mmCIF file of all heavy atoms in Angstrom:
data_model
loop_
_atom_site.group_PDB
_atom_site.id
_atom_site.type_symbol
_atom_site.label_atom_id
_atom_site.label_comp_id
_atom_site.label_asym_id
_atom_site.label_seq_id
_atom_site.Cartn_x
_atom_site.Cartn_y
_atom_site.Cartn_z
ATOM 1 N N GLN J 21 -38.505 1.164 -33.080
ATOM 2 C CA GLN J 21 -38.698 0.960 -34.545
ATOM 3 C C GLN J 21 -39.407 -0.324 -34.792
ATOM 4 O O GLN J 21 -39.033 -1.364 -34.560
ATOM 5 C CB GLN J 21 -37.364 0.969 -35.264
ATOM 6 C CG GLN J 21 -37.584 0.886 -36.714
ATOM 7 C CD GLN J 21 -36.232 0.954 -37.452
ATOM 8 O OE1 GLN J 21 -35.348 1.693 -37.037
ATOM 9 N NE2 GLN J 21 -36.082 0.231 -38.507
ATOM 10 N N PRO J 22 -40.685 -0.219 -35.336
ATOM 11 C CA PRO J 22 -41.439 -1.406 -35.596
ATOM 12 C C PRO J 22 -40.969 -2.112 -36.914
ATOM 13 O O PRO J 22 -40.274 -1.448 -37.697
ATOM 14 C CB PRO J 22 -42.889 -0.911 -35.857
ATOM 15 C CG PRO J 22 -42.732 0.544 -36.322
ATOM 16 C CD PRO J 22 -41.448 1.027 -35.570
ATOM 17 N N ALA J 23 -41.203 -3.414 -37.086
ATOM 18 C CA ALA J 23 -40.767 -4.167 -38.170
ATOM 19 C C ALA J 23 -41.213 -3.583 -39.527
ATOM 20 O O ALA J 23 -40.519 -3.833 -40.538
ATOM 21 C CB ALA J 23 -41.128 -5.622 -38.022
ATOM 22 N N SER J 24 -42.364 -2.902 -39.482
ATOM 23 C CA SER J 24 -42.918 -2.481 -40.789
ATOM 24 C C SER J 24 -42.345 -1.119 -41.259
ATOM 25 O O SER J 24 -42.724 -0.643 -42.236
ATOM 26 C CB SER J 24 -44.453 -2.315 -40.632
ATOM 27 O OG SER J 24 -44.756 -1.324 -39.714
ATOM 28 N N PHE J 25 -41.349 -0.656 -40.516
ATOM 29 C CA PHE J 25 -40.832 0.714 -40.845
ATOM 30 C C PHE J 25 -40.087 0.584 -42.153
ATOM 31 O O PHE J 25 -39.296 -0.270 -42.409
ATOM 32 C CB PHE J 25 -39.794 1.148 -39.731
ATOM 33 C CG PHE J 25 -39.718 2.555 -39.587
ATOM 34 C CD1 PHE J 25 -40.592 3.211 -38.724
ATOM 35 C CD2 PHE J 25 -38.760 3.232 -40.208
ATOM 36 C CE1 PHE J 25 -40.493 4.524 -38.507
ATOM 37 C CE2 PHE J 25 -38.694 4.723 -39.997
ATOM 38 C CZ PHE J 25 -39.543 5.315 -39.214
ATOM 39 N N ASN J 26 -40.315 1.606 -42.997
ATOM 40 C CA ASN J 26 -39.797 1.634 -44.315
ATOM 41 C C ASN J 26 -38.421 2.198 -44.270
ATOM 42 O O ASN J 26 -38.165 3.410 -44.119
ATOM 43 C CB ASN J 26 -40.686 2.540 -45.239
ATOM 44 C CG ASN J 26 -40.214 2.581 -46.598
ATOM 45 O OD1 ASN J 26 -39.115 2.150 -47.067
ATOM 46 N ND2 ASN J 26 -41.126 3.145 -47.506
#
Side-chain angles (χ1 to χ4, degrees):
Q21 180 178 325
S24 65
F25 210 85
N26 182 351

